[in-house]
Amino acid sequence: MSDSPQTTTSDLIVDRLRTWGVERVYGYAGDGNNPLLGALRRAGGSPEFISARHEEGAAFMAVGEAKYGERVGVVSSTQGPGAVHLLNGLYDAKLDHAPVVALVAQQHRSALGSGHQQELDLQHLFADVSSPFIQFVAAPEQLPMVLDRAFRSALANSQPSVVILPHDVQQAPAPDLGQSHGEVVTSPRWTTGEVIPRGEDLDAAAEVIAAGEKIGILAGRGVRHAQEELIALAERLGAGVTMSLLGKPYVDESHPLVAGTMGHLGTTASAHVLQECDTLLIIGSDDPWTEFYPVPGTARAIQLDVDPAMIGNRYPVEVGLVGHAAPGIRALLERLPERGDTPWRREVEEQIRIWHEISRLRSEVPARPLNPELVARGLSARVPEDAQLAVDVGSAVYHYVRQMSLPTSVPAHVSSTLASMGCAVPYAVAAKEVAPDRPMVVLAGDGAMEMLGINELITVAERWRGWGNPRFVLLVLHNRDLAEVSWEQRESEAEPRFDASQEVPRFDFAAYAEQLGLHGMRLHDAAALDRVLDEAFTVERPVVIEVLTDPDVPLLPPFPHGRQMLESMRQGLAAEGEAGKHGLQLLNHYAEIEEQRR
């Protein structure tokens, strides 16, 4: 008689994950998912289980797996509080369209409805975040069908799927599925095709474009596999190209027609393109900053998106093109003549040149102790072409957008639409697991680090020795202020900074890194910036650079929008009395730079 353990439903789950090509499961242990974790142990590391320090961090890691690896990220948690902690990461996946499958434990089926410890109504809890697919597994026979549908839904909808696994179902013997009534046998397969817009829609779009003189393009995440086609379209039309935050990594910002990221945190050149164009092409973007689009009625619009539900979602469009970006642009190019040199093209190129000068001058404004824009600019110059970048939410995103122009070979990700602080270090862990031989660069503020980053830095300390390339440079902008919210208070409310809510407690990030066995560095002198950054990229272990920066460096929106906000910002700073004088001086200096070069 064999002594080998009986194959359980959990073993079946692990085998199906492996068939779907899953290499890693991120998560945190609990009694609810113990059977699944036992099956992962028995599988001998295929897939590998990577333990985060918090379920929220694990969920962000699964999102990072999806974003950097362009594959399904998988996360597991126990029931109750473990399940609740997943929500932030799963909403990040939902809003940024990243495929994630969450395997969430639940109490025994026989206990449900009794108000048992950690018993929550998980189907209601996850109903919104995983609306395309959420399934409670009531019997072992539902697997692997439920897993197959969960993966296909995540891939087809680019959103999270949730599979709820009662403890006793995980423990049950693996079913022997056949053709009995009620048994559904499926296959772990998914594929897609190339969607091309209809010919009559392309003809209509070409007519609108032909009638326009000032063409602007707003490119989103949907252009990630259409980078060459996008630039070819811009060249053909002499069009100015702006990007959503999600689109920024996929557009070559060294090109003379690329005006940079749009929106509140964007560039003055992008604002000019969007406000002055008479024809707008929206390609693979659903950017919510509608006040930065052209004034409705001033620009005729065309939108190309693979999802028909997105057409006209943010701006009134005249022609909708349903299709993938690359074949859609190629089909459109066949209908568009070469425009050559035009006054609009020269105007766009001049505005971009002006923006580059503004960006440089802003970084050189003296601050105390360091200007974070100068720091981000210095970091950008040192990011290797084969690196990966993670950016946390807060003022760091402004500095990334305005001072970091990276080659498209560098995948860069941030929690964009949800804009959740604490995402960067978990993202970076997943990025290194996806591509352990590539250098990793992380830009984060002290608020985001104290929220979640320092916890998952423990995970970095546990994992880094297994990476083929140990280079992992984390730059922390340490200003002891939730700077983005402080500036939003001044800008939107004409209110002074509220110290009790905005002050970030002192934390020694460099010393903490050393305590974890990493390399800690501290920078407070602009004269040492180049030396410290150069050294950081030579260290053969993860590096944490704690940079003391000035919280009073303004997060001024791009002009002309920024000009409209100046008075309220000045009122907020004036209300701060002596404490606001330095910020007021910097704000006026920044405004002067903008005005003198327009």
Side-chain angles (χ1 to χ4, degrees), residues 96-99 158 219-225 244 246-247 250 283-285:
D96 277 0
H97 303 288
S158 296
R221 165 181 164 273
V223 305
R224 67 188 183 280
H225 299 306
S244 68
L246 286 171
Y250 309 113
I283 304 176
S285 175

Side-chain angles (χ1 to χ4, degrees), residues 173-194:
D176 184 14
L177 296 176
Q179 242 183 331
S180 299
H181 180 71
E183 292 182 357
V184 181
V185 180
T186 57
S187 61
R189 296 289 181 268
W190 182 82
T191 188
T192 187
E194 188 173 78

